[in-house]
Amino acid sequence: MFGFFKSGKPPAPPPEAPSAQPAQVATDPAPARPSWAQRLKAGLAKTRGVLNTPVGDLLRGHPKIDEALYEELETILLTSDMGVAATQHLLDALRARVKRDRLTDSAQLKEALKDLLAELLAPLERRLDVGTARPFIIMLAGVNGAGKTTTIGKLAKRYQSEGRSVLLAAGDTFRAAAHEQLSVWGERNRVEVIGGQGGDPAAVIFDAIQSARARGIDVVLADTAGRLPTQLHLMEEIRKVRRVIQKADPSAPHEVLLVLDANTGQNALNQVQSFGEAIGVTGLVLTKLDGTAKGGVIAALAQRGLSTGQPIPVRYIGVGEGLDDLQPFAAREFVDALFA
Amino acid sequence: MFDNLTQRLAGVVKNLRGQGRLTEANIQDALREVRVALLEADVALPVVRDFITRVKEKALGQDVLLSLTPGQALIGLVHKELTALMGEQAAPLDFATQPPAVFLMAGLQGAGKTTTCGKLVRVIRERGRKKILLVSCDVYRPAAIEQLKTVAGQAEADFFPSTPGQQPADIARAALDHARRHFYEVLIVDTAGRLHVDEAMMREIQELHRLLNPVETLFVVDAMQGQDAVNTAKAFNEALPLTGVILTKLDGDARGGAALSVRQITGKPIKFAGVGEKLTGIEVFHPERMASRVLGMGDVLTLIEEAHRSVDQQEALKAVQKLKSGKGFDLEDFKTQIQQMKKMGGLSTLVDKLPGAGQVQAGDLAQGERQMRRIEGIINAMTPEERRKPELLKASRKRRIAAGSGVSVQEVNRLLNQFEQARKMMKSLGKGGLAKMMRGMKGMLPGMP
């Protein structure tokens, strides 16, 4: 994947989401982009040996459109974790389009599939504007090891570089050394971290919000302990965290981010549903896209969004371990990367 | 919305049952269902293809044609093949070396290596090795060393301190030296999570492996992992001579298709399954049972084993003695049972392992667990004497207890009725049948199967 960087030229800047604040768009780290691309390219040069046949190669081997080609496309969609339903949906739509537009060669087929996937993912592309409230309170949740704390570190950096003041609330009072981990992130960004181990997560976050308000902080990032949706008492606990945040500020939380590991398979659907029911997830962060995992499960999520009519947007994707390696999600870019 | 593998395959059996015999055509349908089911359970596509081909070959063979119930035969085959794929036998840990026996952990970021280190301490101790040292070579993730230190403290194992400023290889060398000189029996080495495509990091862990010469090199895999499990497993298996796999977060609702993928690609045994965040949350991986669970046969065996282990032996003994001495089963024991059930991970963990539990809604379970807490509350509101002699409880006392525990008198009565039933059950119960007792109890709670 991401083989489109192979061409060597930096990718065209993604179409900026129309923003009410032009000043903010300007601060969107334009110089960071090529370096991200370079890093990604460097990282992916390593993956090439491990990767399955990229679509480009595959299509070169199949100048004509036949059943074998469809089967190969199915393989690619399935092995990127898109799931059976989304894969079926895309292939059916592709067949319909081939018929409608009388497509005959494989290059056209590839473009058609990319278009269809981009259409499917487009509703997930909605940028997060943290300027709508002050303090803008973001609550993060996810299963164990999804990358919540790391994501918080990166988000803090991002918002700071946009000129906003940030406060971190160490709501993971359960896991060993979670508070220390967040503190290190805080030190690196010179951001204050509120909380300690062993306390009540809701109380810690409540305090953080009070303190943020008193000091006129722009963004509060509230960490929570990782939990599996089957751990009902922990799901109950996170419900309470949300309720308490609401008590501290009736308009909050302004954003509830669910952090998903790109390595996760179809269980991501269960996670989105369970956390959605418990705390009303309003956005997703897809982490660890710098491996060979392709994160295709967001297509499965988009597919389900079609049937429920409420797709949850992917706010950011994590493409590396550096502080700058968290990028806003752009559907077209994602698709281009998927289909080298 | 999202059928799990158990449900899907249950559907396949149902579809097949209506048919008289197995033909190429109806096998095709059923196998397509199996394929979809396996894919939705995140079994990697190449593994699925392989599996379907194998099952198909066998299904069309002689032994199935002789069978009277084709549906059962096919499911039997699927089960057999799944078991074969996951490895036939639970593989024990290897200590056969001159001490210290070194265990090296490897895996992606967030797979659960550090937590698993703490859980392993307990497993190793159960095997009779007492002197265990933990060390972290994760100098990258903030506070990773701190985390292992805390985990070591919780597991009551010794911890060899390291700092983020050190080189992983230096830490490993120093820890090994320390372990040798202080006669540690086991040294567990935690490492940083790494991407299999990160050459520098993969070289680092190869270097660690060379230095430490571990008896066990354990690959830690998240049960929720998707299709990419094949790529990571392949890369780690090629970089390191893995001796086993530990599957983590199996208490989630992921069907754990990654287990099959990793097993198929590496050919290495899955030794343990991580369940839950507590240090007791680890069990021996039973391929046969996992296959059964996948097929909807439940995992009653694991449940029973867990009951034996988690339940406080002392408490259990006391209860048995009480029964034997004819003093009878009182509310105190009833409460102890509830607490023991909680210890085993609550209703959700238990129910997950029972056959046909796929149909139980999460909401029902939550209700069941609430109910358990209420019962505990009511019993707590009684005096010790009342707990021993529930027959003392008359209207006035019941009113006091209801007020004390914030419930209605009706609820107190309901509890007493349930307790009466339990007491009757205890009478008919043979000694040592704790698991039976648990199963008997679950029928009394609302929303249970």
Side-chain angles (χ1 to χ4, degrees), chain A residues 46 75 78-79 81 144 174 176-177 181 228 230-231 234 263 265-267 270-271 288 292-293 304 321, chain B residues 1-2 40 42 45 49 109 141-143 147 150 195-197 224-228 249 251-254 277:
Chain A
K46 287 180 277 179
T75 302
L78 284 176
T79 51
D81 286 318
N144 314 62
F174 179 81
Q181 188 183 353
L228 297 175
T230 45
Q231 296 162 327
L234 292 179
N263 286 300
Q266 300 308 301
N267 189 247
N270 294 24
Q271 290 174 27
K288 307 189 200 173
T292 48
R304 188 160 74 181
E321 297 202 304
Chain B
M1 158 77 218
F2 178 76
E40 285 193 348
D42 292 320
L45 185 61
R49 286 203 177 127
Q109 287 96 339
R141 186 169 59 102
Q147 187 187 349
T150 313
L195 284 171
H196 53 293
V197 291
M224 291 181 281
Q225 209 186 352
Q227 297 283 327
D228 202 46
K249 307 180 204 175
D251 54 327
D253 50 3
E277 295 184 80

Side-chain angles (χ1 to χ4, degrees), chain B residues 25-43:
Chain B
N26 61 24
I27 273 194
Q28 209 62 37
D29 283 352
L31 286 181
R32 196 173 302 132
E33 282 295 306
V34 173
R35 176 176 185 266
V36 169
L38 291 173
L39 282 171
E40 285 193 348
D42 292 320
V43 181

Side-chain angles (χ1 to χ4, degrees), chain B residues 4-191:
Chain B
N4 63 39
L5 188 48
T6 305
Q7 287 163 344
R8 290 251 19 168
L9 289 181
V12 174
V13 189
K14 234 177 261 161
N15 292 344
L16 271 183
R17 255 181 210 149
Q19 318 213 355
R21 39 185 310 200
L22 222 60
T23 65
E24 171 99 37
N26 61 24
I27 273 194
Q28 209 62 37
D29 283 352
L31 286 181
R32 196 173 302 132
E33 282 295 306
V34 173
R35 176 176 185 266
V36 169
L38 291 173
L39 282 171
E40 285 193 348
D42 292 320
V43 181
L45 185 61
V47 179
V48 173
R49 286 203 177 127
D50 209 51
F51 180 77
I52 296 290
T53 315
R54 237 184 305 165
V55 170
K56 193 177 164 187
E57 266 168 25
K58 295 202 176 158
L60 290 175
Q62 198 92 42
D63 44 346
V64 176
L65 292 177
L66 289 172
S67 161
L68 288 173
T69 52
Q72 284 168 352
L74 185 71
I75 286 306
L77 253 175
V78 170
H79 176 236
K80 219 173 99 192
E81 284 302 307
L82 272 179
T83 309
L85 188 59
M86 282 192 278
E88 318 263 303
Q89 283 255 311
L93 284 174
D94 187 7
F95 296 102
T97 183
Q98 194 183 347
V102 180
F103 286 30
L104 180 66
M105 313 293 283
L108 294 177
Q109 287 96 339
K113 288 177 294 303
T114 308
T115 306
T116 304
C117 283
K119 292 179 176 180
L120 272 180
V121 169
R122 188 169 157 275
V123 172
I124 293 168
R125 226 178 248 142
E126 277 177 6
R127 306 277 151 92
R129 301 298 193 281
K130 295 269 162 20
K131 222 164 137 56
I132 304 165
L133 185 67
L134 288 169
V135 64
S136 172
C137 290
D138 187 353
V139 296
Y140 307 97
R141 186 169 59 102
I145 297 172
E146 196 63 26
Q147 187 187 349
L148 188 68
K149 188 179 171 186
T150 313
V151 165
Q154 287 165 353
E156 291 168 7
D158 291 339
F159 173 74
F160 184 79
S162 49
T163 65
Q166 288 172 281
Q167 288 297 315
D170 294 340
I171 298 173
R173 228 175 268 129
L176 187 59
D177 191 47
H178 181 83
R180 276 200 191 119
R181 273 191 289 137
H182 293 82
F183 305 107
Y184 279 95
E185 289 171 284
V186 178
L187 170 66
I188 302 178
V189 183
D190 191 17
T191 64

Side-chain angles (χ1 to χ4, degrees), chain A residues 87-107:
Chain A
T87 299
Q88 207 52 52
H89 164 86
L90 285 169
L91 289 178
D92 289 347
L94 184 63
R95 281 174 201 271
R97 191 157 295 189
V98 167
K99 218 174 212 172
R100 190 193 74 187
D101 297 344
R102 306 225 158 89
L103 304 180
T104 48
D105 80 58
S106 58

